[in-house]
Amino acid sequence: MFKPKYPPDYTYTPPVTAYTTPPAPVNTDTTAPAPLAQPPVPMPIPQAPARPVVQLTPGSVATVVVGGTAVVLVVGVVLVSLLLAVAITAASVAVVAVVARAILNDSHKGR
């Protein structure tokens, strides 16, 4: 009941793949091959497209400097604000811990 049924071996056919090539015919002719009528023409090499030349003017340099400075300032403000948020949170947790400790100590002394 649980044994698989395999087909008999004589029904097996090997799969055909695209990579199999038929054997090359054997040349039994001993004469020299006929020369080609014209030599093969080499293929032309494609040329790379011409790239535009980047020209730096004083206005473009100033724009890049101002833009870079603005990016640095914005990233700095964001990082400082994140650090400040972490510091405020830590201070709040410390205050809550001190208040909770004082409440617990008072409740134990009152017994």
Side-chain angles (χ1 to χ4, degrees):
M1 178 175 166
F2 293 108
K3 290 186 179 181
K5 294 180 180 179
Y6 295 112
D9 290 336
Y10 58 85
T11 60
Y12 174 74
T13 56
V16 178
T17 61
Y19 299 110
T20 59
T21 57
V26 178
N27 188 2
T28 57
D29 188 16
T30 58
T31 61
L36 295 175
Q38 293 179 350
V41 178
M43 293 191 61
I45 299 173
Q47 298 292 327
R51 295 183 182 151
V53 178
V54 176
Q55 296 180 356
L56 295 176
T57 62
S60 64
V61 171
T63 303
V64 169
V65 168
V66 169
T69 304
V71 167
V72 168
L73 289 176
V74 168
V75 169
V77 166
V78 168
L79 291 178
V80 167
S81 64
L82 287 173
L83 183 63
L84 182 62
V86 169
I88 291 172
T89 304
S92 300
V93 169
V95 168
V96 168
V98 168
V99 170
R101 182 176 174 191
I103 291 174
L104 287 174
N105 283 340
D106 286 344
S107 66
H108 287 295
K109 287 181 183 178
R111 284 187 183 182

